Amino acid sequence: MSRPPAKATAKTAAKRPRRIPGFPPDPDRVEAIFERLARVMPEPKTELTFQDPFTLVVAVALSAQATDVSVNKATDKLFKVADTPEKMLALGEAGLIPFISSIGLYRNKAKNVIALSRRVLEVHGGVVPLNRADLQALPGVGRKTASVVLNELGIEPAIAVDTHVFRVSHRLKLVTGNTPDKVEDQLHQVVPPAYLPKAHHWLILHGRYTCVARKPKCAACVISELCPSRVELGG
């Protein structure tokens, strides 16, 4: 006589992955979204001005809660005076502040830029480390800043989740995560590998110029027909 199937115990139930409602999205739709973004933006890149890894790290660190435009205006003058860790350290906090005083949180950022310059000199021989662990050990460089640097330099297909990426990813129903870390993890799961290296820039630029926060430009959007949020957004 056959026995009825045993009920799942707490132990066996814990082994089963919990399915998240609405995730993952339809892979064909995701593929189509990035194919179209790639078509209109074949070579996306950061809008921050930089010359090398050091100036990139500084520019990205300064860009937290500030616009790229405001950072570029400041670094245009700053990098003419201090574009190496040695020169930045010689400038000091007091000398750096006048260059970046138009940027939000400039006092704390000045402190971090000088501290990271010192660490690059003392620990890394004046060369910016290009691996995640050492980058994130630099003062003022968190996961998002490290991801931007590693992605921009083609070292890692990282996705830095800022407000634009967070907003666009949710509007497109690519993710369900409620924190930047969860969104980052889910994007890595659903973005096709061929598009992953540039996905960060496509999502940022799309959010910055088309899928804007208050009045998204659905009529001019190349992926509007693939967007589940278009109706509720008024597009």
Side-chain angles (χ1 to χ4, degrees), residues 178-195:
N178 58 3
T179 68
D181 286 348
K182 290 179 181 178
V183 169
E184 178 184 358
D185 179 64
Q186 290 184 334
L187 285 172
H188 274 282
Q189 293 179 52
V190 304
V191 176
Y195 296 110

Side-chain angles (χ1 to χ4, degrees), residues 70-91:
S70 67
V71 173
N72 287 339
K73 286 182 179 179
T75 57
D76 178 58
K77 295 179 180 178
L78 172 63
F79 291 156
K80 290 176 182 176
V81 175
D83 59 353
T84 68
E86 296 89 346
K87 293 177 182 178
M88 195 68 74
L89 197 57
L91 195 61

